[in-house]
Amino acid sequence: MTERLNVLVADEDEPLRERLAEALPRVVGDEDVAVDTAEAGDTEAVWDALETSRVDCVVVSTRMTNGNGDSLSSAVQVEGVPVVSYERTDPSDIDIENLGRVVYDAARNSVGSLNHRALFEAVNVGLAVRDLETLELVDINHQYADLLGTDPESLLNTFPIDITADIPEYTAERARNEVNRAIQTGSNVFLWPIEGAGDEAVWIRVSLTVAELSGRRRLISTVEDVTEEQRRERELESLKHAVDSVDAGVTITEDSVHKYANEAAARIFGYPDAESLVGLSWTELYDDWEVTRIRELVQPELDETGKWQGEVQLKQLPGDTIPVRLSITALPDERYVVVFQDLTEQKKRERELERSRDFLERTQRISKVGGWELDLETNTLAWTEQTKRIHEVPLDYDPSLEDAFEFYVPDDRERVRTVVERCRDDGVSWEEEFQIVTAKGAELWVRTRGEPVIRNGRVAALRGTIQDVTTRRNREQELERTNAELEALNRIVRHDIRNDMTVIVGWAELLSDHVDESGNDILQRILSTGRHTIEITEVARDLIETMSGGVVETHPVGLAETLDRELASIRHAFPQATFEVDGEIPDVAVRANPLLASAFGNVLNNAVQHTGEETMVTVSATADDDVATIEIADNGPGIPDNRKDIVFGKGEKGLDSSGTGLGLYLVYKLVDSYGGEIHIEDNDPTGTVVIIELPVATPESVTHD
C-alpha cells in the first residue's frame, strides 16, 4: 500500500511558495511514498492548517515569524510537528532536491512518521481522527473513506449526520449524545446506520476513544461494517419470535439433550419456562415403557427416512400423562427438531362424540335427521335407523358406498362422488342438497352434511347427516308459483283495470260543461272516486312489484327532478291545495329506483287527503355526503303519538296492516328496500311532518344485475 506524506509549505513569497509546493512531491516521493502539499502565506494560515488537518512536515522560510517576532520554525517545533527551514529566496534545482531529502528524513524520524502512517493505513477497520473541540476531521485512512462510500477529500468537510440513513430515531441529537458520552467517559461503542449504495442502510459499529496525539487531545474513532451481522441477528430474532408464537411446542435436541425449547413446549410439558427444559434429556419427559416404545418404533424410521410422526404419551412435570402428536425431523450431527401438539382437547372431543352417538340415535327419530359414517380403513358404510327410513329400506339393510351413490338421481350422482372424495382426500367438509329416489320409488330432496374424522394425523373416517327437506323444497316451489301469480295480477292491475278507469275518468271530465250545479257535485264525486281507484291500482301495482321482486335493484336517481315531477302532478290533481317548496331541493342523486316517485307521490297524496280544506303542504330537503333528508309537512290534524309507530304498518302483516292504507305501507317498504329510513314527527302548530332519509348514491352503494 502506498504511504502518504502531507507537507505544508509556508512562505510569504507566493511565487517561491508555489514553486516549492509543485516541486517537493517529485523530489520527496517515490513508488512507495505519495506526497500531498499545502500552502500557507502567513502565520495564521499555518496555525489553521495545523489545527484542521494532518501535517507530517512543515517546510518554512526562516524569514517567517510569529506574532511575537520569533522564528516560526521554532514555534512550530514546540507543537511536535517536524520542521525543515530554508533561507534561499531563489533555490536551484539541486537546492530543492537536497531540501526534499531533508523533508523525507524528518518525516520518517518523527512521531507521525511514514511508518506510523503505514500502520494507520494497514489496519482493516476505518480510522478517523477528529479535533476534540470542533469535531472536525484531522485525518482518516482509506478504509474509513471506502466504508462511508466517498473519497477522503469530500469527507474532510462531512459530519456523520450528513450521511446517516433515513431512520427516524437516528437523529443529530442522538449522535451528539453518543459523542458526549465518549468525551465524558473516555470511550463509547454504538451502532449507527449510514446511507448505502441502494435503499438499504449500511450498519456500522462505531468505537470512540479520547487520546492524546502529538501533544493534542483527539477523538479517535474506528468503524466496522456490521450490516451482514445485523441482518443475521434480525433473521435469528425473527425466527425465534415465529417459533415462540406458534401454539405447538418446538425443541431441538443434540446427543439426546435439549439445546432449545420454545415457551409452548414448556407449557405443554408443565415447566415454568423454556429455560427449564434446556439441558434435560428427552427421556425424562416420558415413562420408561414409552421411552422403550419410541426407541423401538421411531428410531428405525428416523434412520431410514429422517422423519417420523405419530402419537405418544407425554409425562408432564406434575406426573400426569397427556396424549401428544410428535413430528420429528433429523438434522446432521445427531440433532433433531421435535414439534409437539397437545391432543388432550381433541381426545376429549372424540370421547364426547362417542358418548353422544347413543343420544343422537335416540333423537334422530324425533328430528327426522339421519346419520352415517364411512370407515376409510375398512371401506364400510354405516347408516342410522333414521337414514334407512329416509331411503325406505329395511332396518337390517347393510349399505355399501356404491349402493348409497345409486340412490341419487343421475344428474346429482357425480357431484355427490366429488364432495365425498374431497372430504376423504383433503379433509374438506360439505353441506349441500341433492335429489334421491328411495327404494320404493319416492322422489325426495335431502340435505347432506359430511366432515372428516382425523386420527393419527390423517382422515380415518367420514361422518355426517342426511335430512329430508322435500317439504321445504315444495314450499319454495309453491312460493315461486305464487310470485308468478302476483306478476299476472300485476299485469291485470297495470293494463286492464287502470286503463279502464282512466277512460271512465276521461269521459267524466268531458261532462263538466254539460251538467248543472246539482249534477256537478255528483260528477266531482265520480271523478274523485275514479281518480282514487286509479291511485289504488297504481299503488297495488307498485306494491306487487316491490314485494315480489326479491332483492331490489338500485341506481342513482335525481332527487330534485323526482320531487319536482311529483309536485307538478299533485298540483294538477289537487288544484284547491297549496304546495310550497322551502328553499332549494339539493341537486344530488340518491340510491333508489323509479318507484321512488311513487313513494313521494303517496306521501304528498296522503297529506292532501287527511288535511281537508285550506290544505298547505310544504316540502324541504337537505343533503350531506352520505344522506339526503326530505321533509313533507302538512297543516292537518296530525297523528297521535300512540299511532306514529304503526302508521306505516310496521310489525303488521302486509296487506292486513292497521296503518293508514296501502300507500304508506308501500312507502315504508320502498324506503326500507333502498337502505333508508322514514318516520313521523309533529308539525308546528298543527299537522304532520313525514321525514324520509335516503342514502346518497355512490359507486359502491348501487346494486346491479
Side-chain angles (χ1 to χ4, degrees), residues 15-16 18-28 59 84 86 88 90-104:
L16 176 58
E18 292 178 350
R19 180 184 173 196
L20 290 176
E22 181 181 359
L24 283 175
R26 173 177 52 81
V27 299
V28 176
V59 179
V84 175
Y86 63 93
R88 296 180 183 273
D90 187 19
S92 65
D93 291 343
I94 294 177
D95 292 333
I96 293 176
E97 290 180 2
N98 291 334
L99 179 62
R101 284 193 291 272
V102 175
V103 170
Y104 182 81

Side-chain angles (χ1 to χ4, degrees), residues 191-205:
L191 297 178
W192 197 262
I194 62 174
E195 296 174 348
D199 295 334
E200 187 174 354
V202 174
W203 287 89
I204 59 174
R205 181 182 292 113

Side-chain angles (χ1 to χ4, degrees), residues 81-215:
V81 179
V83 178
V84 175
S85 60
Y86 63 93
E87 297 181 355
R88 296 180 183 273
T89 59
D90 187 19
S92 65
D93 291 343
I94 294 177
D95 292 333
I96 293 176
E97 290 180 2
N98 291 334
L99 179 62
R101 284 193 291 272
V102 175
V103 170
Y104 182 81
D105 291 338
R108 287 185 61 85
N109 294 325
S110 68
V111 175
S113 68
L114 291 178
N115 290 334
H116 285 83
R117 184 67 194 176
L119 178 62
F120 190 70
E121 293 287 353
V123 293
N124 60 357
V125 296
L127 286 174
V129 180
R130 293 184 180 272
D131 184 276
L132 195 60
E133 299 296 331
T134 65
L135 297 182
E136 294 179 344
L137 276 172
V138 175
D139 196 8
I140 62 172
N141 65 357
H142 280 279
Q143 286 85 345
Y144 186 89
D146 293 343
L147 185 60
L148 270 61
T150 186
D151 58 277
E153 289 75 14
S154 299
L155 280 174
L156 291 177
N157 297 318
T158 302
F159 283 87
I161 196 63
D162 297 331
I163 55 174
T164 297
D166 186 16
I167 299 178
E169 59 266 33
Y170 290 88
T171 61
E173 181 181 1
R174 179 170 178 174
R176 285 193 298 271
N177 292 337
E178 297 288 1
V179 172
N180 290 337
R181 188 175 295 110
I183 295 174
Q184 293 168 4
T185 63
S187 64
N188 186 24
V189 179
F190 57 92
L191 297 178
W192 197 262
I194 62 174
E195 296 174 348
D199 295 334
E200 187 174 354
V202 174
W203 287 89
I204 59 174
R205 181 182 292 113
V206 182
S207 177
L208 300 179
T209 304
V210 178
E212 186 170 326
L213 297 178
S214 301

Side-chain angles (χ1 to χ4, degrees), residues 332-441:
D333 303 325
E334 297 296 321
R335 292 180 298 137
Y336 298 93
V337 176
V338 186
V339 179
F340 303 79
Q341 185 177 359
D342 187 351
L343 299 179
T344 303
E345 288 300 318
Q346 179 180 322
K347 293 295 184 181
K348 180 181 178 181
R349 289 193 297 270
E350 290 179 359
R351 289 193 298 271
E352 290 175 350
L353 180 61
E354 293 296 332
R355 286 195 299 268
S356 67
R357 276 186 172 181
D358 181 61
F359 174 76
L360 178 63
E361 191 68 32
R362 290 196 302 269
T363 58
Q364 281 184 23
R365 182 184 295 272
I366 300 174
S367 63
K368 297 183 179 180
V369 177
W372 57 268
E373 180 180 81
L374 175 62
D375 189 327
L376 297 179
E377 295 180 357
T378 61
N379 200 33
T380 57
L381 178 64
W383 283 358
T384 64
E385 291 184 359
Q386 184 60 30
T387 301
K388 295 176 182 178
R389 292 188 184 97
I390 291 174
H391 288 80
E392 295 187 315
V393 295
L395 295 183
D396 60 355
Y397 178 73
D398 187 14
S400 69
L401 183 59
E402 287 302 319
D403 291 339
F405 287 145
E406 290 298 320
F407 280 98
Y408 292 87
V409 298
D411 290 344
D412 287 351
R413 200 168 296 158
E414 189 60 34
R415 189 157 58 97
V416 174
R417 289 182 183 273
T418 299
V419 297
V420 171
E421 290 172 359
R422 287 183 61 197
C423 189
R424 179 193 63 197
D425 298 338
D426 304 324
V428 179
S429 302
W430 83 84
E431 181 176 355
E432 296 190 31
E433 292 186 4
F434 305 96
Q435 194 170 14
I436 67 170
V437 177
T438 69
K440 296 182 179 180

Side-chain angles (χ1 to χ4, degrees), residues 550-566:
V551 176
V552 176
E553 181 185 355
T554 63
H555 56 80
V557 176
L559 178 61
E561 178 184 354
T562 303
L563 271 174
D564 289 343
R565 187 170 60 251
E566 288 305 309

Side-chain angles (χ1 to χ4, degrees), residues 34-60:
V35 179
D36 295 327
T37 58
E39 301 178 35
D42 53 36
T43 303
E44 185 178 352
V46 172
W47 291 118
D48 287 344
L50 291 173
E51 288 291 334
T52 60
S53 61
R54 182 175 68 84
V55 177
D56 298 311
C57 183
V58 179
V59 179
V60 60

